[in-house]
């Protein structure tokens, strides 16, 4: 199954400020196969890149960017490089509700890149990784996101993938 959202500008309130920021999601693609979901996002936000990077890398306050995140904890990654970020997400689409725990080791190899890898066995994902690229376009910022997540929980075959697609789309829109 493949879902694509493209074009269309949206106006979003930022999580940490009282001003509104215009954002345009150019492309949001979510594909799935069995328990594996692949997500790609390309968006432009009317905010300077340093501010956007600071918001995305303020792991303890991720719940301010995504209201589905109900709890967050941040510790140093066991290898001493980066942070171990544990988030708890609550979400429902129709009758399909689930609390999902995600544990990732996150590194910032350069000022424009955030890379996170799922810690197997520590949450509800068997494996996965994500890549954020945050680049300046004058006073605007381009966000490029790619991720793969392999769920370590049962997904109902008929409604489950559709429900997850809907929840992911809503979370991306809210976060941007």
């Amino acid at each position: 199954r493949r879902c694509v959202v493209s074009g269309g500008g949206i106006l979003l309130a930022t999580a940490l400020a009282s001003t509104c920021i215009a954002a345009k999601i150019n492309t949001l693609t979510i594909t799935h196969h069995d328990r594996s979901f692949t997500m790609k996002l390309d968006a432009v936000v009317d905010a300077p890149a340093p501010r956007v990077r600071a918001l995305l890398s303020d792991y303890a306050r991720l719940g301010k960017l995504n209201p589905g995140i109900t709890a967050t904890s941040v510790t140093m990654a066991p290898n001493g490089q980066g942070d171990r970020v544990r988030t708890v997400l609550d979400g429902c689409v129709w009758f399909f509700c689930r609390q999902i725990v995600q544990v990732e080791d996150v590194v910032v190899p350069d000022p424009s890149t955030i890379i996170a890898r799922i810690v197997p066995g520590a949450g509800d994902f068997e494996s996965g990784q994500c890549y954020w690229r945050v680049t300046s376009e004058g006073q605007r910022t381009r966000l490029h996101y790619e991720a793969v997540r392999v769920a370590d929980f049962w997904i109902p075959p008929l409604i489950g993938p559709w429900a997850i697609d809907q929840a992911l789309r809503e979370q991306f829109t809210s976060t941007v």
Side-chain angles (χ1 to χ4, degrees):
R1 178 176 165 126
R2 182 176 170 97
C3 301
V4 178
V5 176
S6 61
I10 53 178
L11 189 65
L12 301 168
T14 63
L16 303 175
S18 61
T19 59
C20 287
I21 292 178
K24 181 180 179 188
I25 295 178
N26 296 317
T27 306
L28 172 56
T29 305
I30 302 168
T31 58
H32 72 85
H33 178 71
D34 295 328
R35 293 178 298 119
S36 176
F37 286 80
T38 301
M39 299 147 284
K40 294 182 181 180
L41 169 79
D42 181 73
V44 177
V45 180
D46 284 340
R51 182 170 179 215
V52 173
R53 280 193 293 275
L55 289 170
L56 288 174
S57 60
D58 187 358
Y59 313 123
R61 298 177 78 178
L62 289 175
K64 300 250 183 207
L65 289 177
N66 181 341
I69 297 174
T70 58
T72 306
S73 63
V74 182
T75 58
M76 181 173 277
N79 65 5
Q81 298 176 3
D83 296 301
R84 177 153 292 177
V85 181
R86 180 184 187 274
T87 54
V88 178
L89 295 102
D90 287 334
C92 290
V93 177
W94 285 1
F95 61 88
F96 182 73
C97 294
R98 175 107 179 136
Q99 183 177 73
I100 297 172
V101 176
Q102 177 175 276
V103 181
E104 300 174 293
D105 285 342
V106 184
V107 295
V108 181
D110 63 64
S112 298
T113 308
I114 301 170
I115 299 172
R117 288 183 174 60
I118 291 290
V119 177
D124 292 317
F125 292 95
E126 183 178 300
S127 63
Q129 64 278 331
C130 80
Y131 169 87
W132 279 100
R133 185 83 178 150
V134 180
T135 54
S136 179
E137 293 188 354
Q139 289 301 308
R140 304 179 82 199
T141 302
R142 179 165 302 277
L143 295 172
H144 179 77
Y145 175 84
E146 293 185 28
V148 175
R149 296 281 186 264
V150 179
D152 199 15
F153 53 87
W154 181 71
I155 299 172
L158 296 177
I159 190 71
W162 175 84
I164 291 171
D165 286 350
Q166 296 299 310
L168 288 170
R169 214 174 302 132
E170 183 180 306
Q171 286 182 12
F172 275 113
T173 301
S174 173
T175 299
V176 170

